[in-house]
Short mmCIF file of all heavy atoms in Angstrom, two decimals:
data_model
loop_
_atom_site.label_atom_id
_atom_site.label_comp_id
_atom_site.label_asym_id
_atom_site.label_seq_id
_atom_site.Cartn_x
_atom_site.Cartn_y
_atom_site.Cartn_z
N SER A 127 -6.94 7.87 -10.27
CA SER A 127 -6.16 8.98 -9.52
C SER A 127 -4.65 8.72 -9.68
O SER A 127 -3.85 9.64 -10.00
CB SER A 127 -6.59 9.12 -8.18
OG SER A 127 -7.94 9.36 -8.04
N LEU A 128 -4.29 7.53 -9.60
CA LEU A 128 -2.80 7.17 -9.62
C LEU A 128 -2.27 7.45 -11.03
O LEU A 128 -1.20 7.89 -11.20
CB LEU A 128 -2.66 5.71 -9.20
CG LEU A 128 -1.23 5.36 -8.75
CD1 LEU A 128 -0.86 6.13 -7.49
CD2 LEU A 128 -1.11 3.89 -8.53
N LYS A 129 -3.03 6.97 -12.04
CA LYS A 129 -2.61 7.22 -13.42
C LYS A 129 -2.55 8.72 -13.74
O LYS A 129 -1.55 9.10 -14.36
CB LYS A 129 -3.69 6.61 -14.36
CG LYS A 129 -3.49 5.03 -14.47
CD LYS A 129 -4.55 4.43 -15.38
CE LYS A 129 -4.50 2.96 -15.27
NZ LYS A 129 -5.47 2.27 -15.96
N ARG A 130 -3.43 9.44 -13.20
CA ARG A 130 -3.37 11.04 -13.42
C ARG A 130 -2.12 11.49 -12.74
O ARG A 130 -1.42 12.38 -13.32
CB ARG A 130 -4.61 11.68 -12.93
CG ARG A 130 -5.81 11.24 -13.78
CD ARG A 130 -7.11 11.89 -13.33
NE ARG A 130 -7.09 13.32 -13.53
CZ ARG A 130 -7.43 13.94 -14.66
NH1 ARG A 130 -7.73 13.25 -15.66
NH2 ARG A 130 -7.38 15.28 -14.72
N LEU A 131 -1.79 11.04 -11.53
CA LEU A 131 -0.59 11.53 -10.84
C LEU A 131 0.64 11.05 -11.66
O LEU A 131 1.64 11.87 -11.68
CB LEU A 131 -0.60 10.96 -9.32
CG LEU A 131 0.60 11.47 -8.50
CD1 LEU A 131 0.56 12.93 -8.31
CD2 LEU A 131 0.42 10.79 -7.11
N GLU A 132 0.62 9.86 -12.13
CA GLU A 132 1.70 9.44 -12.96
C GLU A 132 1.98 10.27 -14.17
O GLU A 132 3.12 10.66 -14.50
CB GLU A 132 1.46 7.96 -13.37
CG GLU A 132 2.63 7.13 -13.37
CD GLU A 132 2.36 5.61 -13.57
OE1 GLU A 132 1.07 5.29 -13.72
OE2 GLU A 132 3.29 4.87 -13.68
N ARG A 133 0.91 10.73 -14.75
CA ARG A 133 1.00 11.55 -15.96
C ARG A 133 1.62 12.97 -15.53
O ARG A 133 2.47 13.52 -16.16
CB ARG A 133 -0.35 11.89 -16.64
CG ARG A 133 -0.72 10.60 -17.46
CD ARG A 133 -1.76 11.03 -18.57
NE ARG A 133 -2.94 11.59 -17.95
CZ ARG A 133 -4.07 11.03 -17.69
NH1 ARG A 133 -4.26 9.82 -18.01
NH2 ARG A 133 -5.18 11.66 -17.20
N LEU A 134 1.17 13.42 -14.34
CA LEU A 134 1.65 14.66 -13.87
C LEU A 134 3.15 14.60 -13.52
O LEU A 134 3.96 15.50 -13.91
CB LEU A 134 1.00 15.11 -12.62
CG LEU A 134 1.43 16.40 -11.88
CD1 LEU A 134 1.34 17.64 -12.77
CD2 LEU A 134 0.68 16.65 -10.57
N ILE A 135 3.62 13.46 -12.90
CA ILE A 135 5.01 13.25 -12.73
C ILE A 135 5.89 13.33 -14.08
O ILE A 135 6.89 13.95 -14.04
CB ILE A 135 5.22 11.93 -11.91
CG1 ILE A 135 4.73 12.04 -10.46
CG2 ILE A 135 6.74 11.57 -11.95
CD1 ILE A 135 4.57 10.68 -9.81
N ASP A 136 5.26 12.59 -15.01
CA ASP A 136 5.98 12.64 -16.31
C ASP A 136 6.13 13.98 -16.88
O ASP A 136 7.11 14.44 -17.47
CB ASP A 136 5.26 11.79 -17.31
CG ASP A 136 5.45 10.24 -17.04
OD1 ASP A 136 6.46 9.90 -16.25
OD2 ASP A 136 4.66 9.38 -17.48
N ILE A 137 5.04 14.82 -16.78
CA ILE A 137 5.08 16.19 -17.29
C ILE A 137 6.07 16.96 -16.55
O ILE A 137 6.95 17.72 -17.19
CB ILE A 137 3.65 16.82 -17.15
CG1 ILE A 137 2.69 16.18 -18.14
CG2 ILE A 137 3.72 18.29 -17.43
CD1 ILE A 137 1.22 16.48 -17.84
N ILE A 138 6.12 16.90 -15.31
CA ILE A 138 7.12 17.64 -14.42
C ILE A 138 8.50 17.21 -14.79
O ILE A 138 9.39 18.08 -15.00
CB ILE A 138 6.86 17.46 -12.92
CG1 ILE A 138 5.49 18.18 -12.46
CG2 ILE A 138 7.95 17.97 -12.09
CD1 ILE A 138 5.01 17.71 -11.13
N LYS A 139 8.80 15.88 -14.84
CA LYS A 139 10.13 15.40 -15.08
C LYS A 139 10.63 15.74 -16.48
O LYS A 139 11.84 15.93 -16.76
CB LYS A 139 10.13 13.92 -14.90
CG LYS A 139 10.15 13.59 -13.40
CD LYS A 139 10.00 12.12 -13.13
CE LYS A 139 11.15 11.31 -13.59
NZ LYS A 139 11.11 9.92 -13.29
N ASN A 140 9.71 15.87 -17.45
CA ASN A 140 10.06 16.22 -18.83
C ASN A 140 10.11 17.56 -19.27
O ASN A 140 10.40 17.96 -20.34
CB ASN A 140 9.22 15.27 -19.84
CG ASN A 140 9.46 13.79 -19.74
OD1 ASN A 140 10.56 13.44 -19.65
ND2 ASN A 140 8.46 13.05 -19.62
N ASP A 141 9.80 18.43 -18.32
CA ASP A 141 9.79 19.90 -18.55
C ASP A 141 10.95 20.58 -17.66
O ASP A 141 10.96 20.65 -16.55
CB ASP A 141 8.45 20.56 -18.19
CG ASP A 141 8.36 21.98 -18.52
OD1 ASP A 141 9.33 22.71 -18.43
OD2 ASP A 141 7.34 22.37 -19.07
N LYS A 142 12.01 20.92 -18.39
CA LYS A 142 13.18 21.50 -17.75
C LYS A 142 12.86 22.70 -16.97
O LYS A 142 13.49 22.97 -15.96
CB LYS A 142 14.24 21.75 -18.76
CG LYS A 142 14.82 20.47 -19.35
CD LYS A 142 15.91 20.69 -20.46
CE LYS A 142 16.17 19.42 -21.10
NZ LYS A 142 17.15 19.62 -22.29
N ASN A 143 12.02 23.59 -17.47
CA ASN A 143 11.67 24.74 -16.78
C ASN A 143 10.97 24.49 -15.39
O ASN A 143 11.21 25.15 -14.44
CB ASN A 143 10.67 25.67 -17.60
CG ASN A 143 11.42 26.26 -18.77
OD1 ASN A 143 12.63 26.53 -18.76
ND2 ASN A 143 10.73 26.41 -19.84
N ILE A 144 10.08 23.48 -15.46
CA ILE A 144 9.33 23.09 -14.18
C ILE A 144 10.37 22.50 -13.24
O ILE A 144 10.36 22.81 -12.07
CB ILE A 144 8.20 22.21 -14.47
CG1 ILE A 144 7.11 22.82 -15.26
CG2 ILE A 144 7.64 21.63 -13.07
CD1 ILE A 144 5.99 21.91 -15.66
N MET A 145 11.32 21.61 -13.73
CA MET A 145 12.21 21.03 -12.86
C MET A 145 13.15 22.04 -12.27
O MET A 145 13.51 21.91 -11.08
CB MET A 145 13.03 19.93 -13.66
CG MET A 145 12.28 18.68 -13.88
SD MET A 145 11.65 17.85 -12.52
CE MET A 145 13.16 17.27 -11.73
N LYS A 146 13.54 23.12 -13.05
CA LYS A 146 14.36 24.08 -12.51
C LYS A 146 13.67 24.83 -11.35
O LYS A 146 14.24 25.15 -10.39
CB LYS A 146 14.79 25.03 -13.63
CG LYS A 146 15.71 26.20 -13.12
CD LYS A 146 16.14 27.05 -14.32
CE LYS A 146 17.01 28.20 -13.87
NZ LYS A 146 17.26 29.18 -14.91
N LYS A 147 12.35 25.17 -11.49
CA LYS A 147 11.57 25.87 -10.62
C LYS A 147 11.42 25.01 -9.34
O LYS A 147 11.46 25.50 -8.25
CB LYS A 147 10.33 26.33 -11.09
CG LYS A 147 10.38 27.43 -12.12
CD LYS A 147 8.92 27.75 -12.62
CE LYS A 147 9.17 28.84 -13.68
NZ LYS A 147 7.72 29.25 -14.23
#
Side-chain angles (χ1 to χ4, degrees):
S127 300
L128 201 64
K129 286 177 185 173
R130 294 179 67 82
L131 183 60
E132 216 171 359
R133 281 199 308 257
L134 177 61
I135 291 168
D136 287 341
I137 290 167
I138 292 169
K139 287 172 64 175
N140 290 314
D141 188 315
K142 291 177 185 171
N143 292 325
I144 294 175
M145 287 301 292
K146 183 179 176 186
K147 288 179 183 179

